[in-house]
């Protein structure tokens, strides 16, 4: 019976180089995949976002005092996604004369965000369509009058 020969120093060195070469190659592939699919950062300047915080806080308090009731319905139909918004005041009356801005934000890729062109069909009722999608989005609704934002909401939705 023959015994296997012990590894020489050269063979051990080649095995180590091969092992770390495979690890480096796998890391390079993963880094390339991560960098090429990264859609951007949430904010370009943390400092500017911090400055806007006080204004956003005051705007949120003013919005709460209005007691508006805003409901949204997002549903897939054929080859599109329909977005409907119903806006009413504190007494349940439709809010007329508002401008609506709707964006469907992708949670991880800003390149997949969709702005939805909505129009007021009747007082306080808006409707628009976007390209059909499946999965999660952040539904951003802003209602304004005369260029002043009066209402803003952000809600996570999931379509199948």
């Amino acid at each position: 019976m023959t015994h296997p020969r012990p590894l020489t120093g050269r063979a051990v060195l080649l095995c180590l180089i091969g092992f770390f070469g495979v690890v480096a190659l796998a890391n390079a592939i993963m880094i390339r995949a991560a960098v090429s699919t990264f859609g951007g950062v949430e904010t370009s300047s943390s400092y500017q976002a911090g400055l806007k915080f006080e204004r956003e806080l005051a705007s949120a308090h003013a919005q709460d005092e209005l007691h508006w009731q805003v409901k949204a319905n997002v549903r897939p139909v054929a080859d599109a996604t329909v977005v409907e918004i119903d806006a009413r005041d504190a007494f349940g009356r439709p809010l007329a004369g508002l401008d609506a801005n709707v964006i469907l934000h992708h949670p991880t890729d800003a390149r997949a965000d969709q702005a939805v062109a909505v129009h007021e069909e009747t007082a306080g009722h808006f409707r628009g369509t976007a390209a059909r999608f499946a999965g999660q989005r952040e539904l951003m609704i802003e209602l304004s009058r005369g260029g002043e934002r009066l209402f803003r909401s952000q809600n996570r939705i999931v379509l199948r």
Side-chain angles (χ1 to χ4, degrees):
M1 172 177 215
T2 62
H3 295 288
R5 288 187 355 206
L7 291 177
T8 64
R10 186 175 182 169
V12 170
L13 177 64
L14 289 175
C15 287
L16 280 174
I17 291 173
F19 171 77
F20 285 110
V22 169
V23 169
L25 179 65
N27 284 339
I29 292 169
M30 297 303 266
I31 289 169
R32 171 124 170 85
V35 170
S36 68
T37 60
F38 183 60
V41 294
E42 187 67 27
T43 182
S44 59
S45 170
S46 299
Y47 175 72
Q48 292 298 327
L51 292 177
K52 291 192 329 189
F53 178 76
E54 286 297 323
R55 289 188 303 249
E56 291 295 324
L57 188 60
S59 180
H61 288 303
Q63 176 178 319
D64 287 344
E65 291 175 9
L66 294 173
H67 300 289
W68 284 2
Q69 304 160 27
V70 178
K71 296 179 183 173
N73 181 19
V74 181
R75 66 183 189 284
V77 293
D79 61 345
T81 300
V82 174
V83 178
E84 292 182 305
I85 300 168
D86 188 50
R88 299 186 175 272
D89 66 11
F91 303 104
R93 296 180 300 235
L95 292 164
L98 293 173
D99 296 316
N101 183 23
V102 176
I103 299 175
L104 293 165
H105 281 290
H106 190 278
T108 60
D109 189 355
R111 297 172 295 186
D113 290 353
Q114 293 184 50
V116 182
V118 294
H119 60 278
E120 190 173 22
E121 289 187 325
T122 60
H125 186 78
F126 301 87
R127 180 183 169 96
T129 59
R132 181 153 183 176
F133 68 89
Q136 285 190 121
R137 297 289 189 276
E138 292 287 332
L139 175 65
M140 296 276 302
I141 301 171
E142 290 186 356
L143 301 176
S144 58
R145 183 176 286 135
E148 179 186 356
R149 186 180 81 200
L150 302 171
F151 179 87
R152 180 177 188 227
S153 85
Q154 180 174 346
N155 298 288
R156 180 151 299 182
I157 60 169
V158 178
L159 292 183
R160 302 202 189 287

